Amino acid sequence: MTMGMWWFLGVAFGQLALAGLLLHTRSQEGPEPPPEALALLRGGPRAAVTVAVVALHQRGAVAAGRRGTIRANGGAGRTRDPLQLGVHRSLQRALALRVLASRPKARQALAALAAELGSRGLLRPPGRLLAARVLLLCVPVTVGTGLWTTGASGTALASGAVPVIVAAALLCVPPTTRAAHRLLADLRARHPLPAHRRAVSDGREVLLYVALYGDPALSLFLPHFSRDGGLLGHRRTPDDGFAAGRGWTPDGPACPGGMPE
């Protein structure tokens, strides 16, 4: 392997090291995040908006519309939750949940919530995540350029495969951090989904279960509203989305093969 190829490999490993620094985060102790934030960690924007819709429904502020949509049903009440307010203000007309999650006011509230979680080390900041992924995408380009320029010997091909494989693995590092995974696992251990809806009478507990478990909790506690309002339909386990490594950003999928919930 020529000295020129060693230079290209050095650049590729430098790109990997810088991307690793950008992906590294430190978690901070703090109070338990609200249900909307927990849902955002578990399944992304759609999951967070689902919890906000359920909270509004508990106060009679929204109802199921026609053909699996959500419609406003009066004022938002006394809530100060930014996401709930953003969702309610987006309902000038009945909307499907996936459309509601993409409305500007809802997206703005989601971005603010993601930024708050990022400051606590539960989400990787979107800017750093994007910069890291750009660097990781440059790794195979750097290696390929080196092979084309210096000649592809067997040793060079084997050596060049190492940074490319590492870059491919790091590209699917989820936006959620290990601290977020531990937080969700701990909350599920302390709050297992009950077998009967009669076991839970507090509305905030219902929001917590919906945040942690998604569709199974919706089917248990709000079967009719969830069905008529189009909240169901994603057959995923609680560990899908972030926990499976298929992260997202407020603007869409963050890893090939992933999609926002």
Side-chain angles (χ1 to χ4, degrees):
M1 189 166 58
T2 64
M3 287 299 298
M5 188 60 198
W6 280 113
W7 185 89
F8 280 103
L9 287 176
V11 173
F13 279 109
Q15 292 167 335
L16 286 175
L18 184 55
L21 288 175
L22 290 170
L23 292 173
H24 178 71
T25 58
R26 292 183 178 180
S27 61
Q28 299 178 2
E29 295 295 331
E32 180 182 304
E36 289 86 353
L38 294 173
L40 187 66
L41 293 174
R42 174 184 61 82
R46 180 185 170 111
V49 170
T50 297
V51 173
V53 167
V54 171
L56 291 167
H57 176 67
Q58 288 177 339
R59 296 193 300 274
V62 301
R66 299 179 59 186
R67 298 181 180 179
T69 59
I70 305 295
R71 61 177 177 83
N73 191 41
R78 297 181 179 180
T79 181
R80 295 183 180 180
D81 183 87
L83 182 55
Q84 293 180 29
L85 292 173
V87 166
H88 191 269
R89 290 166 182 167
S90 300
L91 289 171
Q92 285 83 17
R93 58 185 178 86
L95 296 173
L97 184 65
R98 61 180 178 80
V99 178
L100 179 57
S102 68
R103 303 300 294 174
K105 293 178 181 178
R107 288 173 65 88
Q108 183 179 4
L110 286 166
L113 185 58
E116 180 181 346
L117 292 172
S119 67
R120 291 186 52 180
L122 297 174
L123 277 180
R124 294 180 174 87
R128 291 176 57 181
L129 190 63
L130 177 60
R133 284 174 173 162
V134 170
L135 284 169
L136 293 172
L137 289 173
C138 289
V139 170
V141 176
T142 301
V143 173
T145 302
L147 292 172
W148 181 77
T149 302
T150 63
S153 66
T155 303
L157 286 172
S159 300
V162 175
V164 172
I165 292 173
V166 174
L170 289 178
L171 273 171
C172 282
V173 168
T176 44
T177 64
R178 291 182 180 178
H181 295 174
R182 290 194 298 268
L183 173 64
L184 292 174
D186 178 66
L187 286 172
R188 291 193 194 107
R190 290 192 283 120
H191 302 279
L193 188 65
H196 303 286
R197 60 183 298 181
R198 293 187 298 274
V200 179
S201 58
D202 183 79
R204 183 168 177 79
E205 287 190 46
V206 172
L207 294 181
L208 178 61
Y209 284 119
V210 173
L212 293 176
Y213 295 98
D215 280 5
L218 288 170
S219 298
L220 177 64
F221 295 109
L222 303 106
H224 301 298
F225 173 67
S226 300
R227 181 195 64 220
D228 297 341
L231 303 186
L232 301 174
H234 286 253
R235 298 191 178 279
R236 297 180 176 184
T237 67
D239 288 330
D240 280 350
F242 283 159
R246 298 195 300 272
W248 58 275
T249 66
D251 296 320
C255 178
M259 60 182 297
E261 165 141 326

